[in-house]
Structures are given as C-alpha cells and as structure tokens.
C-alpha cells in the first residue's frame, strides 16, 4: 500500500480523523528523534501523526466510535491518546489475540506477529522515511487482522478476548497513568543505613581474610572459604565449588564469615535493585509509573516492568521498609494488598 499521509499537529490530525468512518486499524511505529508515530488507516485514508500531537486531540479521539483494530492498544492509550481516554465503539487488539492463541507469555511485536501468522516480515529496511514505515506497518496489520480472527475462532478464544482481556486494557492504562506514590525520603534513609552496614561488614571480613577481597566475587569467596579456611565444599559447579545462598547458609553454622558474606550479598542486591534506583523512576510529583503487562506471563497473571514491582521483597526488616515506602496518593486513602496462596491453587486444581 501507499505511504501514510503526514499529520504534523493535533489540528491536522483532528480534521483528518473526523472524516474517517467504517473499520480502521492503528499501530505505533518508531519515528526517530521526534518520538513514536501513531499510524492509522480507515476508509481508504492513511495517516501518520506524532504520538504527542495525537494525545492533544481529545475531541478527535471521542469521535472514533466505529470499529478499530489497535495493535498493543494499551501502549497507544498511554502514548498517543488523551489521559483517561476510554475507547468508544468496538475495539480489538491483535497483539493480545496473537498472544492468547499462541498460548505463551510475553508481549509480541508487530514484526513477530507478522512472522508467526503471515510468514513474512512487517516493514522494510527503514528507507523512505517515517511515512513509508507507517504505511508498511499498516500493510502488515491489515493482513494480520483477518488471519488472527480465523485463529481466534479456531482456538475458541473470542470470549476470553472480548470479556476478559479487552475490558482490562483501559483499566491498566489508567493505572499506569495514575502511578504509585513513593516516599523517596524513607528509601533514602534506609539506603543510608544499609550503606553503613555494608561498610561495617566489609571491614569485618577484610580484617579476617586480608585486604583486596571482593565479597561479591564467587571465585574469591570460594578460595577463602574452601582454600584458606578449609570449610567443607558442598557442591561443585563448572567453574569450581558453589557458594550460592544454600551453601553459605549451611556453612554459617560452622564459621561466622559465610553468614557475613551472605548478608552482604542480600543487602547489596536490595540497595542496587530497589533503594537506589526506584526514586529515579518517579516524576516531579513523586509518582512512579510502572507498566502493567497482562501478557507478560504464561499463567495469565499481571506482571510489571520499568520498573519491576512484582518482586519487591516482603521478608525481613529491610524488605518491609521498602514496602512501606509505597504510600497512598492522599489523605483518607489506603493501599489494599490482596494475594492468593499456593494452597488455594492446589485446591482449585483438585476440584477441577
């Protein structure tokens, strides 16, 4: 098909989409330094507009009451639609359909979906500019939609997509836009205390084994524990004897050094994974905007990324302090934590 027609601003985008009717499709495509482009096609017309300009055209989005196939709709809502926009009309997400019928976790790109379901690549080699790239993406998407509809019917997945997955998309997009408030000062205080404890452990360990010892080097730890201290080696790996958590916990009953090394590893990971980086993800209002992935795991559970909040530690005093840094957005609000346990899944499996 032809390249997409460039729309440079929200006004031009609004005028163009008001004349569109029938069934259309849309997808985000990379636009270089200017940011992503929203490519859309409907009624024989193709458009490519900077995503940030499309997001300014709130009235234009409200007029899109037809039938739309939006590849990775949640990303489109977050990037190119007005904040809080809930799509009117009938919307489907070929990306969700592709993941559901394939039965595996992980977000799928348009290129991957075209390769899997059409047997060809989506898009060209990048030549011709963003409007050509947008046109090629729309070509692939328009061919992908009927192929996925046939696969969805064959796998009897239509009801799952309509009643479960699609209604969840605007909810997750709204959650991402709202964000989670983080008490950065609490994390900073905990991080300072943790750095002091790490320095203390380093001094104690190096006083016992000598200077130049890297507590995070498995090779050096193995040399000290099994060579210098003659502690019993438990399990051999391809590179030497194991110094994993289970081994260090067992050896800690024989000598205090493995326990100190284990504590140093755990605290270093908490500091580097949560205490130091999390405040950097917050906006000017102290809100952290993670991405909630409804297709991130094969089991169907929701995962998160950029940053990953699903593995925030819960055990130990430090883990609890990190969790306490996630606070309600305002007065009179509470954070509710709800989870299911392994035993409930086992009972469900038994009854099923």
């Amino acid at each position: 098909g032809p390249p997409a027609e460039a729309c440079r601003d929200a006004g031009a985008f609004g005028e163009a989409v008001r004349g569109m009717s029938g069934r259309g499709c849309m997808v985000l495509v990379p636009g270089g330094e200017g940011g992503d482009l929203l490519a859309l096609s409907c009624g024989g017309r193709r458009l490519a507009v900077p995503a940030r300009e499309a997001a300014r055209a709130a009235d234009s989005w409200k007029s899109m009451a037809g039938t739309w196939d939006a590849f990775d709709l949640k990303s489109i809502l977050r990037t190119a639609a007005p904040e809080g926009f809930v799509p009117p009309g009938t919307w489907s997400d070929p990306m969700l359909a592709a993941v559901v019928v394939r039965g595996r976790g992980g977000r799928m790109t348009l290129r991957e979906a075209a390769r899997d379901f059409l047997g060809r690549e989506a898009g060209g080699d990048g030549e011709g500019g963003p409007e050509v790239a947008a046109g090629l993406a729309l070509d692939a998407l328009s061919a992908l939609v009927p192929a996925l509809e046939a696969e969805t019917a064959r796998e009897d997945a239509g009801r799952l997509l309509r009643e479960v997955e699609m209604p969840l998309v605007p909810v997750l997009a709204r959650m991402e836009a709202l964000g989670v408030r983080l008490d950065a000062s609490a994390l900073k205080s905990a991080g300072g205390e943790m750095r002091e404890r790490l320095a203390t452990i380093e001094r104690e360990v190096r006083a016992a084994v000598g200077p130049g010892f890297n507590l995070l080097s498995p090779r050096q730890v193995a040399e000290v524990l099994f060579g210098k201290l003659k502690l019993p080696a438990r399990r051999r790996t391809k590179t030497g004897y194991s110094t994993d958590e289970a081994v260090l916990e067992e050896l800690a009953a024989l000598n205090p050094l493995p326990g100190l090394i284990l504590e140093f590893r755990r605290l270093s990971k908490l500091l580097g994974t949560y205490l130091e980086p999390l405040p950097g993800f917050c906006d000017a209002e102290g809100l952290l905007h993670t991405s909630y992935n409804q297709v991130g795991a094969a089991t169907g559970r929701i995962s998160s990324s950029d940053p990953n909040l699903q593995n925030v530690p819960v055990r130990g005093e430090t883990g609890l302090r990190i969790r306490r840094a996630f606070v309600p957005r305002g007065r009179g609000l509470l954070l509710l934590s709800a989870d299911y346990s392994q035993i409930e899944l086992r009972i469900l499996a038994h009854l099923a």
Side-chain angles (χ1 to χ4, degrees), residues 223-262:
E223 289 174 355
V224 167
L225 296 184
F226 308 129
K228 188 171 185 177
L229 298 180
K230 306 299 182 184
L231 294 175
R234 302 301 186 189
R235 188 170 65 256
R236 192 172 185 86
T237 66
K238 293 181 180 179
T239 57
Y241 288 107
S242 173
T243 60
D244 64 14
E245 185 169 329
V247 170
L248 292 179
E249 285 181 342
E250 189 175 350
L251 294 176
L254 305 176
N255 187 292
L257 195 63
L260 289 173
I261 294 173
L262 184 58

Side-chain angles (χ1 to χ4, degrees), residues 74-282:
K74 182 164 69 68
S75 293
I76 291 174
L77 294 179
R78 283 298 315 277
T79 306
E83 184 173 325
F85 173 73
V86 177
T90 303
W91 290 68
S92 68
D93 187 338
M95 189 273 287
L96 286 181
V99 173
V100 167
V101 299
R102 276 289 175 263
R104 64 170 183 251
R107 179 182 174 275
M108 190 177 289
T109 65
L110 179 59
R111 182 178 294 271
E112 291 167 338
R115 187 185 306 126
D116 280 7
F117 294 94
L118 302 176
R120 63 178 175 84
E121 295 289 331
D125 55 9
E127 295 183 359
E131 287 79 20
V132 171
L136 291 171
L138 291 170
D139 285 341
L141 183 53
S142 61
L144 186 63
V145 168
L148 280 170
E149 287 179 341
E151 285 283 335
T152 300
R154 188 176 299 114
E155 297 292 332
D156 196 23
R159 184 178 177 187
L160 172 63
L161 286 165
R162 290 191 307 272
E163 299 183 9
V164 178
E165 299 295 355
M166 287 305 300
L168 187 59
V169 172
V171 175
L172 294 180
R174 182 65 174 157
M175 287 169 58
E176 291 179 3
L178 285 172
V180 181
R181 187 168 298 284
L182 197 68
D183 186 349
S185 62
L187 289 181
K188 183 177 180 181
S189 175
E193 295 175 18
M194 193 171 293
R195 278 184 284 270
E196 291 179 5
R197 177 57 184 159
L198 288 169
T200 300
I201 294 174
E202 278 192 288
R203 288 194 297 269
E204 292 180 10
V205 172
R206 287 174 178 165
V209 303
F213 175 57
N214 182 359
L215 283 76
L216 296 178
S217 168
R219 181 182 62 81
Q220 291 188 29
V221 168
E223 289 174 355
V224 167
L225 296 184
F226 308 129
K228 188 171 185 177
L229 298 180
K230 306 299 182 184
L231 294 175
R234 302 301 186 189
R235 188 170 65 256
R236 192 172 185 86
T237 66
K238 293 181 180 179
T239 57
Y241 288 107
S242 173
T243 60
D244 64 14
E245 185 169 329
V247 170
L248 292 179
E249 285 181 342
E250 189 175 350
L251 294 176
L254 305 176
N255 187 292
L257 195 63
L260 289 173
I261 294 173
L262 184 58
E263 183 184 0
F264 189 89
R265 284 183 181 177
R266 289 171 174 170
L267 294 182
S268 295
K269 183 175 181 179
L270 291 175
L271 186 67
T273 306
Y274 300 106
L275 293 171
E276 290 181 336
L278 281 181
F281 285 96
C282 293

Side-chain angles (χ1 to χ4, degrees), residues 22-65:
R23 184 168 184 174
C25 60
M26 63 178 68
V27 61
L28 288 173
V29 296
E33 296 181 0
D36 288 346
L37 295 175
L38 176 67
L40 63 159
S41 173
C42 186
R45 191 172 186 185
R46 296 176 161 202
L47 304 177
V49 58
R52 61 176 178 270
E53 291 295 324
R56 295 173 52 207
D59 291 339
S60 303
W61 281 92
K62 293 175 183 177
S63 69
M64 295 182 182

